[in-house]
Amino acid sequence: MNVLLTGSAGFIGSHIAEALAASGHRVRGLDLRPDGLGDAPGDVRDAAVVARRLAGVDAVCHQAAMVGLGVDASDLPAYTSANVQGTAVLLAEMARAGVRTLVLASSMVVYGEGAYACRRHGRVRPGPRPEEALRAGRFEPPCPVCGSALQAGAVGEETPPDPRNVYADTKLAQEHLAASWARMAGGSVAALRYHNVYGPRMPRDTPYAGVAALFRSRLLAGEAPLVFEDGAQRRDFVHVRDVARANVLALERLAEAPPGGARAYNIASGGPRTVGEMAAALAGALGGPAPRVTGGYRLGDVRHIVARPDRARDELGFGASVAFADGVAEFARQPVTSS
């Protein structure tokens, strides 16, 4: 296939470019920065640029986005411009060009908090954790009905979205726009809800960097990783090469199937870890100081968010192949990327 890859110079996009090429596909890039594909930089919000890049393309893999939780309300215009307007422009030009296949980089952040059950009230959806509770060190969300302790579980794709920050809002908006495009243009969309992606080329030292990159940055400076809350918050850390392979599988499946609207997939390892475990694993791999649990917090963070990966396994043939220990050891050894 001829594939247009937006965000081709990015952390995840650069790995997808390699995976697509290794699978025999021809990749055309679109990114604000120079990429390794030889394409001149371009902006996904520029309709004329997008139209030129779509010429002769069979499918689009849309990774371009502004990532992270956001710093404050001043980030709202930048996130909506890059993520929402950029996606809208891309979809409009795809409709004009007759390109009907889209793999969209979505995120587990669309779920908000993960799955929880109360002994008395069954499955419940806790609201955002109030700052006074976080300040007092009460990190676990209580039952919204009776206030009792909850048992955390895993989310499936059928879980209703409940975004908690501007990045999550824009990722859900991307999914909605893509679903509308599929209905109007007769297209097919696989929205891949990435969980916590880590691995080589992960950027550091920005307010939007992932937690694994922030931990490694401190360790390389000889400093202890700073772990927020009590370190017991659970995530699913999935290696970037597994994420790239999931994109290839999704593109190939959509290309072989009749037009089918939009469908979401959790892209996760299926083996959740705590944030504290990630910090400890990196400290061990780098021989650095032990993590320091600070009790700090970020408003908009959720407590536990792990996934059921069954749908991606059954429908895409995807299963994570990089073991946590191996992936962390490799990530610890990789050269540092600043952006």
Side-chain angles (χ1 to χ4, degrees):
M1 282 188 292
N2 294 318
V3 180
L4 175 63
L5 172 62
T6 73
S8 51
F11 163 46
I12 297 175
S14 64
H15 285 276
I16 293 173
E18 293 172 353
L20 284 168
S23 296
H25 302 291
R26 294 167 295 279
V27 187
R28 184 177 300 169
L30 177 59
D31 200 291
L32 288 170
R33 298 168 295 172
D35 58 22
L37 302 172
D39 291 303
D43 193 330
V44 73
R45 293 165 291 192
D46 187 327
V49 169
V50 173
R52 287 196 296 271
R53 298 289 171 89
L54 282 169
V57 160
D58 303 307
V60 173
C61 185
H62 182 33
Q63 307 294 312
M66 184 174 180
V67 302
L69 294 185
V71 175
D72 54 39
S74 66
D75 274 336
L76 285 163
Y79 272 92
T80 54
S81 175
N83 298 357
V84 181
Q85 178 66 10
T87 299
V89 170
L90 174 66
L91 293 171
E93 294 306 318
M94 287 177 65
R96 291 190 182 97
V99 180
R100 300 287 185 260
T101 300
L102 172 68
V103 173
L104 171 69
S106 188
S107 172
M108 55 85 174
V109 296
V110 302
Y111 294 120
E113 282 285 355
Y116 293 88
C118 173
R119 289 184 180 180
R120 291 178 57 193
H121 298 100
R123 187 163 181 171
V124 294
R125 298 296 300 274
R129 296 178 295 169
E131 186 168 12
E132 57 268 26
L134 297 173
R135 195 162 44 236
R138 298 193 304 273
F139 302 122
E140 295 289 344
C143 174
V145 181
C146 66
S148 61
L150 297 175
Q151 178 67 42
V155 293
E157 292 86 350
E158 75 286 350
T159 302
D162 185 18
R164 302 288 176 87
N165 55 66
V166 61
Y167 175 61
D169 293 333
T170 62
K171 297 311 284 185
L172 184 57
Q174 287 183 325
E175 287 197 21
H176 288 322
L177 288 169
S180 294
W181 166 84
R183 289 189 295 270
M184 292 186 290
S188 296
V189 180
L192 305 186
R193 292 175 176 170
Y194 303 157
H195 283 250
N196 287 68
V197 186
Y198 75 100
R201 303 176 210 149
M202 191 175 190
R204 66 170 185 116
D205 294 344
T206 82
Y208 311 98
V211 66
L214 296 173
F215 290 160
R216 187 180 73 155
S217 181
R218 287 189 61 87
L219 285 162
L220 291 174
E223 300 171 333
L226 302 179
V227 179
F228 279 8
E229 302 188 16
D230 57 2
Q233 55 271 48
R234 294 168 69 238
R235 299 290 188 269
D236 189 307
F237 294 98
V238 58
H239 195 275
V240 67
R241 283 198 302 276
D242 281 328
V243 170
R245 186 163 52 85
N247 277 267
V248 176
L249 290 169
L251 279 166
E252 292 175 345
R253 176 191 173 278
L254 290 182
E256 295 170 356
R263 192 150 173 84
Y265 296 91
N266 285 325
I267 303 302
S269 73
R273 305 277 175 163
T274 67
V275 171
E277 286 176 318
M278 170 58 89
L282 281 169
L286 285 166
R292 180 159 60 87
V293 177
T294 68
Y297 57 86
R298 292 190 305 177
L299 287 177
D301 267 347
V302 297
R303 179 62 173 173
H304 305 296
I305 176 69
V306 299
R308 293 204 307 269
D310 309 30
R311 182 184 291 181
R313 180 196 63 213
D314 296 342
E315 298 184 13
L316 303 181
F318 170 75
S321 62
V322 180
F324 179 75
D326 295 338
V328 169
E330 178 197 20
F331 175 55
R333 296 191 302 267
Q334 289 295 313
V336 172
T337 301
S338 60
S339 62

